[in-house]
Amino acid sequence: MYRFFSLWIFSYLWLLPNTGLSQVVLNEVQSSNNATITDEDGEYEDWIELFNTSSTEIVDLSHFGLSDDYNQPFRWIIPGGTTLAPKEFLIVWASGKNRRNPEQPLHTNFSIIRNGEEILLTHPKLPPDEHLVDEIPSVAMPSDVSYGRATDGSGEWVFFDQPTPGASNTATPGLGTLLDTPNASPPGGFHTGPLFLEVDSEQENVVIRYTLDGSEPTSHSPLYIGPIFITNRSGEPNDLSEIMEISHSYAPAAPPFEKVFKGTVVRARAFRDGDLPSPAMTETYFIDELGHERYSFPVVTLNTNRKHLFDHEKGIYVLGNVHEQWLNEGGDILDGGAPANYNRTGREWERPAHFTLFEKDGSKAIDQDIGIRIHGGWARAFPQKSFRLYSRSDYGTNRFNYRVFPQLELDDFNRLILRNSGQDVTSTMFRDVYIQESVKHMNFDIQHYRPVVVFLNGEYWGIYNIRQRYDRHYIETHYGVHEDELDLLTRSAANAKEGSPSDYIELRNFIDDEDMSIADNYEYVKTQIDIENFIDYFIAQIFASNTDWPHNNIDFWRKNHGGYFPDSDIPEHDGRWRWLMFDTDFGFGWWSNAFDNTIRRVTGTGRYEGSNILFDGLMDSQDIRHNFYNRFADMLNTTFKTERMASLLDSLKAVYAPEIEEHINRRGDADKWNYPLNYNDWLSQVDVMYQFVENRPGYQWQQLMNFDDRDTFALILDVSDSEHGHIMVNTIFINPNTIGVNQDPWPWRGYYFKGIPVTLTAKPEPGYEFVRWLERVTEDTDPINDDPDKALQCVKYFTFSTEPVIEVSSDKSIHLVAEYSITTSLDPPPNNIPKKFELTQNYPNPFNPLTVIRYDLPVSSEVHLEVFDLLGRPVATLVATHQEAGTHQTTWNASGHASGIYIYRLRAGDFVQIRRMTLIN
């Protein structure tokens, strides 16, 4: 029946008259629209113009297709009911928004790459494999230039530097060839002495015009007639850094203490009558006797027309017209959120720029046109502002294809942030970096960092940190979740960045209204929230004493595909909510103290609606409360130990120290925020963090004890031989690979809370087996000669348990020893064949670089044990063979792989199980 129906439809289409197909043409297209025309949302999107060449006939456009891919000729279908009158134009937005209401503006489900891709108009009435009605070949278009027919419907194609969307192409003159970008010799970068720059073009009869101020050359710019002499410009007067209308009394600007280091920005374009000028060549030259060794950081250059940043009307870096109007209307409270140009958001406040990243060896790593916006909250009010960097097809490429963060195995970014360190811009310049780095091994995402020195139009602008931005692109590249299935929310009010907050608000109301001590309620919540992620995230924020949280600076997300899917190949696809850490600048002593009782602040009545509901409600569950206390104790006994936190602080201080003095010189003295005025002042700001590191653990222990009115006990652990095995306490492995555990950890001492069972797991090394737990007891013998001060002590050992996994809860200190012995075989005896397939958690975890993976086979099976990254890409195959029933293990050496979370999967016959493990370099 289906085959007959399909053939009938096909025959019917062939019998239809061909009227209307050939008279509809693609007339004009724009693939980089930054200022030409906006859609109904006020956004500058790509567009395609159709034209009906007939003078008499109305064309029904129903079922016509538009595409940018020969392999998908009907990628987007024009909806039924769409018509085109004689000599009429139709604009279809190539925005990716996929809107198909014929009564409203139409939007395709794809956008167009500026560097060029085919545009196809198709119809199913045409023969199979020949559906093409019209096409535009792949053509690169500069920003705000279109490509279209010289006259409407004609066969001659030209460029328009004044596009005509929805109007006749004859309204503006067309231009022929798009000229090639000029060449520069030598290329930009760091040079040890003055040089002569030569600029040329391989095309004939062109003239080259150039600028030295960061703006794109126009037909009125200086004419290049010979080599340009480039020298060190640092002795010249400061320019952009003397502009003071970039902030108000909340954080007043100040000129640099001295003249700042400067580079020379050269931008050049080729011009020829009748042709379209070339894209701009952009190079920045730094002349210094040290060359690239002048800086210990990579160097970033942002070059753009100064009006894009500092113009009163359109500049995104200044107080500007927005602030002036606010004052004229009676505004008089100059807080960080006072209206200003730099507080404006959205595409309207994005400006084109050229971005270059020079690595520490001077090599050019990234070199492309981008869009820039100002980034942040109240930190926008500081003179040094953060930039958000946008890679779009409108600017030539829609990716930053470079491994920006060496510790992260990823070279595909849509958005990056040049962050000024938030509120900590007044202090150390790395507080948020430090806080996030200290907890990057815990069960939530952190923003990786890369410190850089930034130049704005060739003028030194100070230290920044390159960071990732949490948005739909981040979730897609890290977890493979498309925006159509993404709910990404922010702030305690659950504002939607992507998707919908409705399910989250319903869950929050459920936790607020229902009793979480009831097992069924808690079991339901576990299907909605990744509890491990939630607990770890709150522990990290509480310990950091981040006072600008949880009402603010809180992002959380899930893959929304209609339920809970615990067996998802990628754990983060299970449909549960997870939290992301960012903007922790108010912690570790900036706007907080080591004695701040943050755990009290995240319970009870929150500062804003919903800020404390989840934590307060979930803590009513004994399971969560015990897990929270045990995990916090695990972290206090390892990660948050003063020695470990101080060592990390030492390392980061050493990273930033070489660049601080030049940064302080650029910032000057605004006499408001007690900025460091010299290197010693900066050291005193870092000392605030050292004091926090020293004092916070003690205060934190006491606050946890007070919160639940419970004391602690000392847990002392040892092993019979450190080469025979180790011990896992709750969630941590006691071995040198665990952060915060000494190289020689035995005997290990930690503290835990009375009344909360602590889980101990004996972990024998390969070739050894667990025997028993021994309790070490010290007893006093009789005094010598009746002198109590001369009592002798006797150490005795008693069998405490023979089970490898035990729970310990004690009212006093307890000292246990895990005893191991040599085993003759890793395979269990026949009567001990495992009863089920199981892939166990690797150990140690986190690890560096070796980890052991064990698995049970109840029957002989064809076994495949593989490792993948979070994008599902294969990393290693550990086992691929037939194995007999029994317990097996293998070791993975992850040397050469980047830090991060990896997936390992066991396939044995029809059985499949997946787990995660964390590599820490």
Side-chain angles (χ1 to χ4, degrees), residues 228-424:
I228 302 170
F229 184 60
I230 306 291
T231 188
N232 189 325
R233 296 180 50 240
S234 297
E236 298 178 10
N238 296 331
D239 180 17
L240 302 182
S241 54
E242 298 291 332
I243 298 174
M244 298 294 105
E245 299 303 314
I246 57 177
S247 60
H248 49 64
S249 62
Y250 172 77
F257 288 129
E258 301 171 355
K259 292 177 180 177
V260 300
F261 185 61
K262 304 174 183 71
T264 299
V265 180
V266 181
R267 307 192 78 180
R269 298 175 74 190
F271 293 81
R272 187 167 63 192
D273 289 344
D275 288 325
L276 194 67
S278 72
M281 173 215 81
T282 304
E283 297 284 359
T284 304
Y285 294 85
F286 299 102
I287 308 300
D288 186 85
E289 61 183 6
L290 295 177
H292 67 265
E293 294 182 355
R294 176 185 173 90
Y295 293 108
S296 60
F297 288 171
V299 170
V300 162
T301 64
L302 289 179
N303 297 314
T304 188
N305 191 316
R306 66 185 291 150
K307 290 184 177 181
H308 291 155
L309 297 175
F310 301 107
D311 180 73
H312 187 71
E313 299 290 332
K314 299 294 185 181
I316 64 174
Y317 206 96
V318 295
L319 292 164
N321 186 57
V322 170
H323 190 72
E324 181 181 31
Q325 290 181 1
W326 178 74
L327 291 176
N328 291 338
E329 293 169 0
D332 61 357
I333 300 176
L334 295 181
D335 59 25
N341 284 21
Y342 56 67
N343 277 329
R344 287 295 190 255
T345 61
R347 185 72 181 271
E348 181 184 356
W349 293 90
E350 180 177 316
R351 301 291 180 262
H354 190 85
F355 168 61
T356 306
L357 171 65
F358 294 98
E359 280 290 4
K360 287 191 290 186
D361 63 359
S363 61
K364 192 180 292 183
I366 303 177
D367 189 36
Q368 64 189 70
D369 290 336
I370 63 167
I372 58 174
R373 301 183 194 178
I374 302 301
H375 172 82
W378 278 32
R380 294 169 183 250
F382 286 99
Q384 184 188 6
K385 305 184 193 303
S386 299
F387 291 98
R388 195 178 300 169
L389 312 182
Y390 287 81
S391 58
R392 298 186 190 278
S393 59
D394 291 348
Y395 301 113
T397 178
N398 61 354
R399 291 288 191 274
F400 296 108
N401 292 122
Y402 182 69
R403 190 169 172 176
V404 177
F405 309 101
Q407 69 272 38
L408 182 64
E409 203 166 85
L410 185 66
D411 59 1
D412 182 5
F413 303 92
N414 282 87
R415 308 284 185 264
L416 292 171
I417 298 169
L418 284 175
R419 193 169 189 270
N420 65 355
S421 198
Q423 301 289 335
D424 184 58

Side-chain angles (χ1 to χ4, degrees), residues 544-737:
S545 188
N546 181 9
T547 57
D548 199 19
W549 169 92
H551 62 286
N552 190 29
N553 295 327
I554 182 168
D555 280 3
F556 40 103
W557 72 281
R558 68 165 180 178
K559 181 176 182 179
N560 181 5
H561 50 147
Y564 173 49
F565 298 92
D567 297 325
S568 299
D569 286 349
I570 297 176
E572 288 79 8
H573 288 194
D574 61 14
R576 296 188 296 170
W577 293 100
R578 289 171 168 84
W579 277 256
L580 309 161
M581 176 175 268
F582 71 104
D583 279 17
T584 61
D585 317 302
F586 275 58
F588 266 71
W590 189 89
W591 202 265
S592 61
N593 292 288
F595 54 78
D596 285 345
N597 196 341
T598 315
I599 192 171
R600 286 291 185 191
R601 193 166 48 78
V602 295
T603 59
T605 303
R607 290 175 60 184
Y608 296 92
E609 179 185 359
S611 62
N612 298 340
I613 288 175
L614 258 63
F615 185 82
D616 212 13
L618 291 177
M619 288 294 281
D620 289 339
S621 162
Q622 179 174 285
D623 281 350
I624 289 185
R625 201 176 194 92
H626 284 186
N627 287 340
F628 172 79
Y629 266 86
N630 268 337
R631 179 62 171 169
F632 217 140
D634 287 347
M635 295 297 96
L636 286 166
N637 287 321
T638 55
T639 290
F640 298 144
K641 287 174 64 176
T642 294
E643 311 91 271
R644 184 259 167 176
M645 298 294 284
S647 176
L648 178 61
L649 187 52
D650 289 343
S651 65
L652 283 172
K653 182 178 76 171
V655 168
Y656 286 81
E659 304 301 334
I660 282 298
E661 289 191 89
E662 188 168 2
H663 175 83
I664 290 173
N665 171 54
R666 164 62 189 87
R667 184 166 56 192
D669 178 15
D671 193 27
K672 170 66 184 289
W673 284 91
N674 295 320
Y675 292 122
L677 300 182
N678 52 53
Y679 182 77
N680 286 333
D681 280 356
W682 177 74
L683 289 178
S684 68
Q685 295 281 1
V686 179
D687 282 344
V688 171
M689 296 178 66
Y690 277 110
Q691 293 167 21
F692 189 96
V693 165
E694 178 70 28
N695 297 320
R696 183 60 172 172
Y699 284 116
Q700 191 68 80
W701 277 112
Q702 191 62 52
Q703 290 159 11
L704 288 165
M705 292 161 63
N706 294 342
F707 182 65
D708 239 13
D709 192 23
R710 64 174 75 238
D711 207 344
T712 61
F713 70 95
L715 175 64
I716 305 167
L717 299 175
D718 208 341
V719 291
S720 56
D721 190 310
S722 60
E723 295 184 359
H724 296 177
H726 60 282
I727 299 170
M728 183 176 182
V729 183
N730 293 324
T731 64
I732 56 173
F733 290 88
I734 310 303
N735 67 29
N737 291 325

Side-chain angles (χ1 to χ4, degrees), residues 748-762:
W748 181 85
R749 176 186 290 265
Y751 291 90
Y752 287 89
F753 296 96
K754 293 180 180 180
I756 299 178
V758 177
T759 301
L760 303 182
T761 306

